[in-house]
Amino acid sequence: MEETKIILDENEIPKRWYNILPDLPEPLPPVIHPGTKEPIGPQDLAPLFPMELIKQEVSQDRWIKIPDDIRDVYTLWRPSPLYRARRLEKVLKTPAKIYFKYEGVSPAGSHKPNTAVAQAYYNMKEGVDRLTTETGAGQWGSALSFATSLFDLACTVYMVKISYEQKPYRRSLMNLWGAEVTPSPSTRTNAGKKILEENPDTTGSLGIAISEAVEDAATHDDAKYSLGSVLNHVLLHQTVIGLEAKKQLEKIGEYPDLITSSCGGGSNFAGIAFPFLYDKLKGDKKDLQAIAVEPMACPTLTKGIYAYDFGDTAMLTPLIKMYTLGHDFVPPGIHAGGLRYHGDAPTVCLLYHHGVIGATAYHQNEVFEAATTFSRAEGIVVAPEAAHAVKLVVDEAVKCRKTGEEKTILFNLSGHGHFDMGAYDAYFSGALEDYEYPADLVKKALEKVPKL
Ligand SMILES: *Cc1c(COP(=O)(O)O)cnc(C)c1O
């Protein structure tokens, strides 16, 4: 019998993360201070992040050691399994070989604890007592709540008010792990108070919640801020996914022709793809294809512009060169909450700009259709975010059926969808709307991108 799962031993959890910064086709453009318009330095970030993470953010070292205490926590769910999706291959009658790395086995149910644990650890080491963060649908908030509980840190989560009211179970999960969850906008911060005065009935947004979490950390000495995607150190921590997958594929003598995953801020895409892109950037594996998949309702790479923009709505964060839909673009309310960000990680954007990686966008009904096909073949319930990658995989596999090509496809199944059954209900009852790419909204938001 051929293997379905390729499993590694605990002692094969990678000992180093892969840092792509020294291997990029050109140096990453500097992050710019919004006031001075000069590149920011470590001291500008010190109120928000511990020094070790600031160092990792700009490090030119290709390999960064994973502390034993972090590897020890990783053993709670890592190494994660690599599956061969044989049953899906059969259903699709494809000669392609489909492999997926499954990150839904983590306690919070997604890849996000890979960085949450590392961030909580470095903050604990530097004497921080409390972490603040924002969360939309609650995936990042629950990952950080889990991680802070392991290192005896307090955790304050600003949760977008509409999700706080509509998604009570992710909130319960955060409470279970000991976090304090506040609906945002709140009266705990000046940013929140100001927005509530202007618009008492607002349902909140991720951009507003970021502003509150940043202000809370910046105005309290005991607290620092934590972000779940986009930043270089977050992507660095996620490379544990691709490093494991590489070892797993090596064991069975395989190497992918195509790698894909969903792209919200870019961290799980980077996590699975960067360790393989290392080979491509070195000049080996020139034909390796890596494709990031985004929603048609928030098509950052496929329809955005490559420019300096703010990371948040209130224009508090530094300016980052990235593909952006404009910092005050509010995407339509699709069910893949984790993919509704106006920008993307600067490294992912730079690689896209140079044509090293590709990108594509899908509507949510076709995405849920592919996820349903997948679940009926493989059993696992796919998170709506991860389902975007499944759609691309199904399309590629069907293409291979027509051409006879035996492509080896690898994708990251970034999380399970057990908290997303409401979205599946909406799909089954025909209540899901496909939003045409909101060109007017994007055009308006892009007018607000600062001119440097
Ligand atoms: C948050 C999330 C994403 C998107 O975030 P990235 O930073 O792009 O990885 C994708 N899948 C799941 C399951 C998530 O929770």
Side-chain angles (χ1 to χ4, degrees):
M1 205 173 74
E2 283 182 290
E3 282 169 313
T4 301
K5 295 192 293 306
I6 297 99
I7 307 278
L8 299 176
D9 290 335
E10 284 181 7
N11 61 25
E12 292 177 281
I13 293 174
K15 295 194 168 62
R16 303 176 304 177
W17 291 297
Y18 168 56
N19 174 21
I20 202 167
L21 290 192
D23 296 320
L24 292 173
E26 66 168 307
L28 207 57
V31 172
I32 300 291
H33 192 286
T36 64
K37 303 285 194 289
E38 296 291 330
I40 60 163
Q43 66 288 354
D44 295 311
L45 295 173
L48 295 184
F49 302 107
M51 210 29 84
E52 191 55 38
L53 291 177
I54 295 172
K55 276 194 211 149
Q56 289 181 1
E57 191 62 20
V58 295
S59 173
Q60 287 292 323
D61 298 338
R62 182 171 292 124
W63 301 102
I64 292 180
K65 185 181 186 299
I66 307 178
D68 289 340
D69 289 343
I70 295 177
R71 291 181 75 242
D72 186 52
V73 174
Y74 279 171
T75 62
L76 291 175
W77 73 96
R78 306 210 71 84
S80 68
L82 179 84
Y83 284 82
R84 170 95 183 258
R86 269 178 224 288
R87 290 165 194 273
L88 181 68
E89 291 170 15
K90 211 172 267 170
V91 168
L92 300 174
K93 299 190 180 64
T94 179
K97 287 184 263 182
I98 303 173
Y99 292 93
F100 66 92
K101 185 77 168 152
Y102 186 41
E103 291 295 309
V105 292
S106 81
S110 78
H111 64 288
K112 289 191 170 80
N114 296 329
T115 184
V117 167
Q119 293 189 42
Y121 169 80
Y122 290 118
N123 275 284
M124 176 274 292
K125 284 298 265 189
E126 294 184 29
V128 174
D129 295 325
R130 182 169 68 95
L131 286 181
T132 71
T133 198
E134 69 288 333
T135 198
Q139 287 149 322
W140 169 243
S142 51
L144 193 68
S145 304
F146 157 66
T148 48
S149 76
L150 296 172
F151 295 110
D152 285 330
L153 298 175
C155 184
T156 307
V157 182
Y158 292 87
M159 185 172 191
V160 176
K161 193 190 277 171
I162 184 136
S163 305
Y164 182 91
E165 284 158 5
Q166 291 180 351
K167 307 222 159 153
Y169 296 129
R170 279 270 168 204
R171 192 210 319 162
S172 312
L173 194 55
M174 290 184 255
N175 291 146
L176 169 63
W177 279 314
E180 187 187 3
V181 187
T182 303
S184 166
S186 76
T187 52
R188 284 176 65 133
T189 65
N190 288 328
K193 277 187 218 154
K194 186 157 165 262
I195 286 157
L196 283 172
E197 269 164 32
E198 288 162 9
N199 187 358
D201 299 324
T202 177
T203 52
S205 75
L206 204 53
I208 296 169
I210 295 178
S211 304
E212 289 206 87
V214 167
E215 181 186 322
D216 184 341
T219 53
H220 292 93
D221 286 343
D222 66 324
K224 297 224 184 276
Y225 169 69
S226 180
L227 191 64
S229 190
V230 178
L231 298 177
N232 299 336
H233 67 262
V234 178
L235 276 58
L236 171 78
H237 302 151
Q238 293 296 354
T239 59
V240 70
I241 303 171
L243 292 166
E244 281 181 8
K246 219 170 166 183
K247 261 191 220 174
Q248 286 161 313
L249 287 172
E250 258 165 36
K251 284 203 175 199
I252 52 168
E254 288 277 22
Y255 194 93
D257 300 303
L258 168 67
I259 304 174
T260 187
S261 85
S262 67
C263 189
S267 78
N268 89 92
F269 173 78
I272 188 94
F274 281 9
F276 293 92
L277 289 173
Y278 170 55
D279 301 331
K280 182 168 176 166
L281 291 164
K282 261 196 323 203
D284 309 339
K285 308 289 179 189
K286 287 204 180 74
D287 297 331
L288 172 64
Q289 253 192 313
I291 303 178
V293 189
E294 47 189 27
M296 202 65 101
C298 190
T300 313
L301 291 170
T302 48
K303 305 278 186 182
I305 56 166
Y306 193 42
Y308 273 100
D309 199 5
F310 293 99
D312 71 328
T313 315
M315 302 183 283
L316 295 176
T317 70
L319 293 159
I320 307 171
K321 180 115 185 243
M322 59 183 175
Y323 280 86
T324 178
L325 297 168
H327 56 269
D328 71 0
F329 171 67
V330 179
I334 53 163
H335 284 277
L339 305 184
R340 294 178 71 233
Y341 185 63
H342 67 272
D344 268 324
T347 47
V348 170
C349 294
L350 186 132
L351 291 170
Y352 182 66
H353 189 64
H354 281 263
V356 177
I357 64 168
T360 192
Y362 294 118
H363 282 301
Q364 55 178 353
N365 276 294
E366 56 186 353
V367 160
F368 275 92
E369 186 189 346
T372 303
T373 303
F374 182 90
S375 296
R376 289 178 184 171
E378 297 289 329
I380 293 169
V381 181
V382 182
E385 292 83 1
H388 285 71
V390 173
K391 168 65 180 159
L392 184 131
V393 170
V394 168
D395 282 6
E396 280 291 325
V398 169
K399 243 190 254 167
C400 288
R401 175 171 77 212
K402 291 171 184 156
T403 61
E405 206 184 339
E406 293 177 28
K407 243 187 205 178
T408 301
I409 301 172
L410 169 66
F411 77 98
N412 190 39
L413 210 176
S414 51
H416 69 64
H418 295 177
F419 289 89
D420 301 287
M421 297 319 294
Y424 277 92
D425 280 348
Y427 168 65
F428 290 131
S429 67
L432 273 195
E433 245 182 279
D434 278 341
Y435 298 95
E436 257 324 307
Y437 151 59
D440 285 359
L441 288 177
V442 170
K443 191 162 167 259
K444 238 194 255 159
L446 285 178
E447 283 162 11
K448 306 246 180 82
V449 170
K451 312 253 175 319
L452 282 189

